Amino acid sequence: METGRPVRSRPHGTADARLLDRLIDERVRRTAPSLLDVYGVGTHTAAILLVAAGDNPHRLKNEAAFAHPCGVAPVPASSGKVVRYRLNPGGNRQANHRCGASCSPA
């Protein structure tokens, strides 16, 4: 087991991180520039949501179709006379977290 310093404290680690941030920013702006106009959605959030959409964005025809893979779609959880819903526990956990983080009030 190596006991060296963490990568982030090394000078070249910061340059690599900046380069990766720049590349992600360029690709997000080229793929979905309007996504960055949404309040609370930055480059990294947009990148995670684009990954969740996958290689077949045409299959996501509306918000409900996108809610299922993100794990934010309501699922019936009723018992007897009480009608209630819970959130789908499945789906992409990172996209689920980002959906909640970008939709919550500041």
Side-chain angles (χ1 to χ4, degrees), residues 32-94:
S34 61
L35 190 57
L36 295 172
D37 294 337
V38 176
Y39 178 77
V41 176
T43 303
H44 289 254
T45 299
I48 289 171
L49 295 175
L50 287 171
V51 168
D55 291 333
N56 303 323
H58 61 277
R59 68 189 167 105
L60 304 173
K61 299 183 185 325
N62 55 28
E63 290 176 6
F66 188 65
H68 280 283
C70 289
V72 292
V75 176
S78 303
S79 62
K81 296 180 182 179
V82 178
V83 177
R84 63 186 176 91
Y85 295 89
R86 63 178 175 81
L87 291 180
N88 181 359
N92 184 325
R93 291 217 175 271
Q94 287 184 333

